[in-house]
């Protein structure tokens, strides 16, 4: 999949044909996206191709949906003034009268609508909808009568089936609703409202079939911003990242796209591994907006993420510093912000600053075990073993603790004990190392790594008898394995080296010589050791 970024960014006049003008706004309203609808209707209101009586009618619907009755009435009257033969503005005025409890005035408006357009089934369906939205129980008779009139006028008109689909959807009869919407687009193969409502209603029942219907719609209405966007959204919800990104790429070329969709596209490009394109689009979006805009913050974030993904560390550090210098109300940082900035700092050699950012990341998301593991790794890389043990203790204390975490906790405390000059800290760390090695051994008995760890702890503590016992137990576990002296050669050598040292410290040269002979069994090519053993004098 290849995205032509500059074509995407140049949203000029050459692309105007790839849109449906004000009609996209109408379709957005019909599927319940009123803010998007208003933006497109306002944007296209003075376009010469716009039918103003129709645009005013839907702008009125938007105000009515927001509870602004006066504003709605003003738009409907503008619609009547623009075209007195547009029946739907009269129906809309009648709907306002119904909701105000003035049924007689509403009836007069409905009669006017029928007078100017009496052979249109959609007129009767709209009147039926007005009664339904006012009170489907109180006006059940009028509702049924107008649905019947719509059918008699044109039984294939999609408006009545869409109304009935909406009624069933309101009752949570999603299968019945989908059936009505399907009838609507069967009779009107380009009916965007029916297709989109079908997809949205049926998506949680059969997401693949719902998405296929949107794909079908797009072949019939390729310039529809709504169809383009809804299909992209469905791909996104299905975790089809590459398809979602590709579809968004096409949709963004439509002049009737929305700014927030450019933001989504930046993210999709990033998650699709298109880091350069994602960065460039984020840069372009930032350039077109004021510094205090929330999206300025979000796009700076995406620039940081992309530069980290590209391993361009100096630039990533700069964007991280900029991101954390922004003070835009309504925005907040995430643990990933801190982690990515920390990663950039680490890779430009700013170790202390990097650790500080990792700590902030954990503070923001203290229950993220993977994040804590990352911080532990950073501390160990910087040989701050005490801090590594402190944070690993959080993992051990969490519900996610596994047997391997107990073993690793022992190694963290061992590292502290092995490197500290503080005798009290050494003693407490050895006790921690001993405790967690024993707990790990209880969970997974007979694991040579755990038993060897117990030996190392006792060896460091100076408990040589216990150390020898655990070293020998480790050897016994390994000896029981097939081909062990080849596969675990280095482990054997490490153990024999420690046992020989312990023997020498106890002035047991004969014992040391026996251990060296066992060492040579697994390391026969070690001529230096063989020569040394041959020259050993044992009293």
């Amino acid at each position: 999949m290849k995205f032509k970024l500059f074509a995407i960014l140049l949203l000029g006049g050459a692309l105007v044909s790839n849109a449906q003008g004000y009609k996209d706004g109408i379709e957005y309203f019909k599927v319940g996206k009123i803010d998007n609808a208003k933006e497109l209707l306002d944007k296209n209101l003075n376009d010469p191709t716009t039918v103003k009586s129709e645009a005013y009618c839907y702008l009125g619907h938007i105000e009515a949906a927001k509870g602004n009755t006066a504003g709605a009435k003003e738009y409907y009257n503008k619609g009547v003034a623009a075209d007195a033969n547009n029946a739907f503005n009269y129906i809309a005025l009648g709907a306002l009268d119904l909701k105000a409890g003035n049924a007689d005035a509403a009836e007069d408006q409905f009669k006017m609508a029928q007078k100017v357009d009496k052979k249109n089934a959609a007129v009767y369906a709209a009147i039926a909808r007005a009664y339904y939205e006012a009170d489907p129980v109180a006006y059940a008779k009028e509702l049924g009568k107008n649905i019947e009139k719509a059918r008699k006028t044109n039984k294939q008109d999609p408006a009545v089936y869409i109304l009935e689909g909406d009624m069933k959807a309101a009752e949570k009869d999603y299968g019945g609703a989908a059936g009505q919407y399907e009838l609507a687009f069967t009779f009107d193969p380009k009916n965007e409202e029916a297709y989109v409502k079908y997809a949205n209603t049926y998506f949680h029942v059969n997401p693949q079939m719902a998405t296929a219907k949107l794909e079908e719609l797009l072949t019939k209405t390729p310039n529809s911003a709504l169809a383009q966007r809804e299909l992209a959204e469905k791909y996104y919800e299905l975790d089809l990242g590459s398809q979602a990104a590709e579809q968004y790429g096409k949709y963004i070329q439509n002049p009737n796209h929305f700014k927030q969709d450019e933001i989504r596209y930046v993210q999709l490009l990033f998650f699709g591994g298109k880091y350069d394109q994602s960065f460039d689009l984020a840069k372009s979006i930032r350039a077109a907006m004021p510094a205090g805009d929330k999206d300025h913050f979000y796009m700076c974030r995406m620039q940081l993420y992309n530069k980290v993904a590209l391993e361009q560390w100096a630039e990533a550090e700069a964007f991280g510093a900029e991101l954390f210098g922004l003070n835009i109300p309504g925005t907040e940082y995430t643990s990933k912000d801190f982690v990515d900035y920390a990663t950039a700092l680490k890779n430009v050699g700013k170790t202390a600053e990097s650790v500080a950012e990792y700590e902030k990341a954990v503070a923001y998301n203290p229950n993220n075990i993977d994040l804590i593991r990352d911080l532990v790794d950073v501390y160990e890389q910087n040989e701050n073993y005490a801090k590594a043990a402190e944070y690993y203790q959080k993992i051990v204390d969490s519900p996610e603790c596994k047997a391997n975490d107990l073993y690793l906790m022992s190694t963290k405390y061992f590292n502290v004990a092995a490197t500290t000059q503080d005798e009290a800290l050494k003693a407490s760390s050895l006790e921690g190392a001993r405790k967690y090695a024993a707990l790990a051994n209880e969970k997974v008995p007979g694991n040579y790594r755990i038993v060897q760890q117990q030996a190392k702890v006792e060896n460091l503590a100076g408990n040589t008898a216990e150390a020898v016992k655990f070293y020998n137990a480790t050897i016994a576990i390994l000896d029981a394995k097939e081909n062990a002296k080849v596969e675990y050669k280095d482990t054997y050598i490490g153990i024999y080296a420690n046992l020989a040292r312990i023997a020498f410290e106890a002035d047991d040269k004969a014992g040391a010589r026996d251990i060296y002979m066992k060492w040579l069994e697994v390391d026969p090519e070690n001529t230096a050791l063989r020569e040394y053993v041959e020259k050993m004098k044992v009293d």
Side-chain angles (χ1 to χ4, degrees):
M1 178 178 59
K2 295 182 179 179
F3 298 104
K4 296 181 179 178
L5 182 66
F6 294 107
I8 292 167
L9 298 179
L10 297 173
L11 301 175
L15 297 176
V16 170
S17 62
N18 190 25
Q20 299 183 140
Y22 79 104
K23 291 183 179 179
D24 277 332
I26 291 173
E27 297 303 331
Y28 271 104
F29 176 82
K30 288 179 178 179
V31 298
K33 300 180 185 295
I34 61 174
D35 290 335
N36 294 145
K38 181 167 177 56
E39 181 177 333
L40 292 181
L41 287 166
D42 284 340
K43 175 182 175 181
N44 291 283
L45 184 61
N46 294 316
D47 188 280
T49 63
T50 297
V51 178
K52 286 197 171 182
S53 64
E54 193 174 7
Y56 284 135
C57 184
Y58 280 93
L59 284 166
H61 291 343
I62 291 167
E63 295 306 313
K66 293 179 177 180
N68 182 7
T69 302
K73 189 172 184 178
E74 183 179 350
Y75 274 122
Y76 296 144
N77 284 326
K78 284 183 177 181
V80 171
D83 182 0
N85 290 317
N86 185 325
F88 295 97
N89 282 297
Y90 299 116
I91 296 170
L93 288 166
L96 293 180
D97 289 330
L98 277 181
K99 289 179 180 178
N102 195 341
D104 290 338
E107 183 65 25
D108 289 341
Q109 295 286 3
F110 297 155
K111 286 178 180 178
M112 179 61 72
Q114 294 171 63
K115 180 180 178 181
V116 299
D117 199 359
K118 61 184 178 181
K119 293 184 179 181
N120 187 348
V123 167
Y124 298 108
I127 294 171
R129 185 179 290 277
Y131 281 117
Y132 172 74
E133 291 180 351
D135 190 331
V137 176
Y139 296 115
K141 180 180 177 181
E142 291 82 356
L143 171 60
K145 182 176 70 173
N146 280 283
I147 287 176
E148 186 61 28
K149 281 185 179 180
R151 278 213 173 83
K152 284 183 178 179
T153 303
N154 182 358
K155 65 180 180 181
Q156 293 189 357
D157 192 290
V160 69
Y161 298 107
I162 292 173
L163 170 60
E164 290 179 317
D166 292 348
M167 292 164 63
K168 288 182 180 295
E171 295 170 357
K172 301 188 186 305
D173 178 6
Y174 300 121
Q180 293 303 115
Y181 297 140
E182 188 168 16
L183 283 171
F185 62 67
T186 298
F187 292 129
D188 180 6
K190 294 185 178 182
N191 193 293
E192 296 175 49
E193 179 184 6
Y195 270 106
V196 171
K197 284 183 173 178
Y198 175 95
N200 289 340
T201 300
Y202 211 57
F203 186 76
H204 298 293
V205 177
N206 189 328
Q208 287 74 26
M209 183 179 291
T211 304
K213 286 299 179 185
L214 290 175
E215 292 171 339
E216 180 182 313
L217 171 63
L218 198 56
T219 64
K220 298 171 181 178
T221 59
N223 296 331
S224 166
L226 176 63
Q228 292 168 344
R229 187 192 199 205
E230 287 294 311
L231 180 57
E233 285 291 318
K234 292 298 180 288
Y235 286 149
Y236 183 79
E237 291 180 49
L238 286 170
D239 290 327
L240 299 174
S242 61
Q243 287 175 258
E246 184 173 10
Q247 184 57 41
Y248 262 101
K250 295 174 183 177
Y251 161 64
I252 293 297
Q253 296 182 57
N254 192 313
N256 278 344
H257 76 275
F258 302 102
K259 184 177 75 170
Q260 65 265 34
D261 296 315
E262 294 181 11
I263 306 299
R264 173 68 65 81
Y265 188 42
V266 170
Q267 296 169 336
L268 284 170
L269 286 171
F270 171 75
F271 289 116
K274 306 292 184 179
Y275 305 125
D276 284 317
Q277 293 98 318
S278 178
F279 176 87
D280 288 343
L281 185 54
K283 180 180 178 181
S284 174
I285 292 170
R286 288 188 72 187
M289 65 177 57
D293 192 297
K294 288 182 183 179
D295 289 334
H296 184 75
F297 174 90
Y298 298 129
M299 291 299 94
C300 184
R301 166 185 285 163
M302 293 310 300
Q303 287 180 295
L304 166 63
Y305 290 1
N306 280 294
K307 287 301 179 183
V308 169
L310 289 165
E311 298 184 0
Q312 296 174 356
W313 303 118
E315 292 176 69
E317 181 206 356
F319 281 112
E322 182 180 2
L323 179 66
F324 286 103
L326 294 174
N327 184 21
I328 299 176
T331 60
E332 60 182 54
Y333 299 105
T334 68
S335 57
K336 181 172 171 58
D337 297 338
F338 293 107
V339 168
D340 274 30
Y341 187 31
T343 303
L345 288 165
K346 179 176 69 175
N347 281 280
V348 296
K350 297 183 178 180
T351 303
E353 295 92 330
S354 173
V355 170
E357 296 304 319
Y358 272 114
E359 289 176 335
K360 291 175 187 176
V362 172
Y364 261 69
N365 197 350
N367 297 320
N368 188 323
I369 298 301
D370 290 335
L371 190 54
I372 295 173
R373 291 186 195 279
D374 289 340
L375 179 56
V376 169
D377 288 343
V378 172
Y379 279 129
E380 289 189 321
Q381 288 166 15
N382 288 283
E383 299 182 355
N384 190 337
Y385 299 116
K387 276 291 186 180
E390 176 188 331
Y391 274 91
Y392 210 88
Q393 186 69 56
K394 296 177 185 294
I395 297 174
V396 169
D397 292 340
S398 77
E400 296 183 39
C401 177
K402 303 292 189 299
N404 190 56
D405 290 316
L406 298 173
Y407 164 74
L408 291 173
M409 186 75 260
S410 177
T411 68
K412 308 306 178 191
Y413 280 123
F414 178 87
N415 289 340
V416 176
T419 56
T420 185
Q421 300 300 313
D422 185 325
E423 289 301 320
L425 178 59
K426 179 177 180 178
S428 64
S429 298
L430 281 169
E431 187 54 40
R434 182 179 293 115
K435 169 186 173 182
Y436 286 106
L439 288 172
N441 193 44
E442 289 177 13
K443 292 282 187 182
V444 188
N447 182 287
Y448 84 91
R449 289 184 183 277
I450 297 173
V451 178
Q452 184 184 21
Q453 173 65 11
Q454 292 179 294
K456 290 170 65 177
V457 172
E458 299 305 335
N459 190 23
L460 182 61
N463 300 325
T464 55
E466 283 295 297
V468 169
K469 181 185 78 172
F470 283 121
Y471 277 131
N472 286 331
T474 307
I475 291 171
I477 294 170
L478 292 174
D479 284 346
K481 296 178 181 291
E482 186 177 353
N483 202 32
K485 291 183 178 178
V486 174
E487 187 173 348
Y488 300 98
K489 175 181 174 180
D490 290 341
T491 303
Y492 276 107
I493 291 173
I495 293 172
Y496 289 137
N498 279 298
L499 287 173
R501 178 185 51 77
I502 292 171
F504 268 116
E505 289 174 353
D507 200 27
D508 181 6
K509 293 181 181 179
R513 188 178 187 283
D514 290 341
I515 293 167
Y516 283 141
M517 294 302 294
K518 292 178 181 179
W519 180 340
L520 287 169
E521 289 178 17
V522 296
D523 190 17
E525 303 301 319
N526 192 334
T527 55
L529 176 61
R530 188 174 299 280
E531 290 174 1
Y532 175 76
V533 172
E534 290 173 352
K535 294 177 182 178
M536 281 184 71
K537 292 183 180 180
V538 179
D539 297 332

